[in-house]
Amino acid sequence: MNNIVSLRDITVEFDDEKILDSIDLDIKDKEFITLLGPSGCGKTTTLRIIGGFLTPNSGKVIFDGKEITNVPPYKRNVNTVFQRYALFPHLNVFDNIAFGLRVQKLPEKEIIRRVGEMLELVNLMGYEKRSVNKLSGGQQQRVAIARALVNRPRLLLLDEPLGALDLKLRKEMQIELKRIQKSMEITFVFVTHDQEEALTMSDTVVVMKGGHIQQIGSPIDIYNEPVNSFVADFIGESNIVSGAMIRDREVEILGRRFECVDGGFGANEHVDVVIRPEDIKVSAPSEAKLTGIVESTIFKGVHYEMIVDACDGKWKIQSTKAVEPGQEIGMRFDPEDLHIMKKMEEHRR
Amino acid sequence: MKGISSKAAAAPYLIWMAVFIVVPLIMVAYFAFTDESGAFTLDNLANVAQYSNIFIRSIWLAAISTVICLVIAYPLSYMLSGMKAHTQSTMLMIVMLPMWMNFLLRTYAWMAILGNNGLLNTLLGFFGLGPYKLLNTQGAVVLGMVYNYIPFMILPIYSVMVKIDKSVIEAARDLGCNSVNVLFRVILPLSFPGVASGITMVFVPAISTFIISRMLGGGGNLLVGDLIEMQFLGNSYNPNLGAAISFVLMVILLLIMTIMNQFGEDDTENDRVLM
Ligand SMILES: Nc1ncnc2c1ncn2[C@@H]1O[C@H](COP(=O)(O)OP(=O)(O)O)[C@@H](O)[C@H]1O
Ligand SMILES: [Mg+2]
């Protein structure tokens, strides 16, 4: 697959502060790629670079092999669904969606046909004459999507489009958006700070923090092989402990040695070890190298979530069997459940 | 409970409106339809007809001034709304500054500038030009109106423009608009309510002004305002005729404003929700 957009060494500064720092990113044609990261990490800024609303201080934007760094937004075959929709308050639903086509001066007959298609796609038939100010959040959001898609862009940028919706509607729209992306064969660049949303919808996830890309990969790769403790922590609930590599495939944590599957670190190199709550198995204290006292047990629907006090640290464990608080348990994990990663100084828990 | 308390709170305003708006209106109507002895008559209204040329001149000069104000104020407000917040307040200050000066003084200043031996003609004289007759012309009257009333055009347009969501403008650019398209398809329609109130706020005082025309227009360019003033304070004392002229002027303004509102109603149904 070809790259539709490439960002090369993009740096953006506001008030002498680096908001984006040497961003390199390739976006493949027709993929669903998600920028994921905490608020303020530069996701919107990255979209604005691709959309053409912001010129980077340095670096290049390449679209279909051609440099477009200084091309204004209206000349780019890219459309945007804005963070707060930004619908035209003076136009009704139909005219909002038709806006781009009217600017292109298409014949009215074709405009009516294409807007009709879009209304059907986003399930807003019969709402043509409504004022956009009188729509619900979910409906406004669908108008915003239709208004962008009607122009048949090669690339659609979506800035936290589901952020304002309640959970149920959010889930529905996730499925809806995915369906639209597949059926129209458009590249989606989706922005969210919700890791679950990113994992369920994307082909590729880009994890960002403080203007840097931390990791690019498929949802499964990102979840299973986080490159550092920040990604591990952000992508799901994790237990992160410091450790040291004894040799390849053996790591020491909390004064105990464990078998693992990672290698390639220096001898005695300090590392972060990530263990997912669902990977920890509860056993009798005598059967485990690591033991702890259960502090609390909460029923979470599918499983119980327990906080365990072990070796002066709190551990989160998910288990289908509940253990009464106050009891001692053993904690075991398989070698492949220990994720070893290079030490990151900041963002420790 | 709530209804009673809000009614009570509105009472001072209702009394104010009754005393200072409704009562004067009734008095104008009363004088317009009576003679000196207080008997009902339509003669006053009939007499107004002989001043139709003054009415036409007033409407015409007020309309020209309003258009000039709009042409200057609109781009100015647009530029203002795009500036840094801090620059915006400084610029607004400069726009308002002349209004802090007494109205008469401001207009006298223009007399000094435009007169035959005034500043402008002296300057032109250095280049061997003129002197031109600048003062006591309709042009001078229009200039005076524009100068005095332009803040009333700038403020409403500006305050609507700064409220336009920047992301809506970005959305328009995203959907293929260059700057000209953005102006005509988004900014113009969204700023229309400001334009409408700006037009009202300039046109109404301009049509009934009386000092500007006298000072800058000389005796030959009397306006309706001067005519009314003369009936009350001048040698041709006739309050009944003055009231009748005022009455006709109000009716004309009412008609013009109704037409204006009708015109704006077509496509701005949604604007009011936003503004
Ligand atoms: N126009 C601007 N001027 C100054 N700082 C800005 C501007 N736009 C964004 N920033 C800063 O850049 C950082 C990243 O912003 P943004 O890209 O909007 O983050 P995100 O979308 O990931 O929440 C934030 O710290 C924000 O304050
Ligand atoms: Mg953002």
Side-chain angles (χ1 to χ4, degrees), chain B residues 69-99:
Chain B
C69 280
L70 182 61
V71 167
I72 296 173
Y74 197 87
L76 191 72
S77 312
Y78 182 42
M79 279 174 353
L80 260 176
S81 69
M83 289 175 180
K84 289 204 193 86
H86 152 92
T87 325
Q88 279 184 29
S89 46
T90 317
M91 294 291 291
L92 267 184
M93 189 73 160
I94 294 172
V95 168
M96 303 298 297
L97 208 56
M99 293 182 71

Side-chain angles (χ1 to χ4, degrees), chain B residues 135-148:
Chain B
L135 199 59
N136 300 340
T137 60
Q138 290 198 351
V141 176
V142 169
L143 178 75
M145 288 182 179
V146 169
Y147 180 75
N148 277 306

Side-chain angles (χ1 to χ4, degrees), chain B residues 243-262:
Chain B
I245 299 170
S246 297
F247 190 79
V248 172
L249 184 61
M250 280 195 295
V251 172
I252 291 174
L253 279 173
L254 202 67
L255 277 176
I256 294 176
M257 289 307 138
T258 313
I259 294 167
M260 278 274 311
N261 284 346
Q262 219 73 56

Side-chain angles (χ1 to χ4, degrees), chain A residues 120-135:
Chain A
E120 204 165 329
L121 185 80
V122 297
N123 220 342
L124 279 178
M125 284 96 71
Y127 284 82
E128 290 86 341
K129 294 272 171 284
R130 282 286 178 98
S131 154
V132 289
N133 306 297
K134 296 191 183 101
L135 299 181

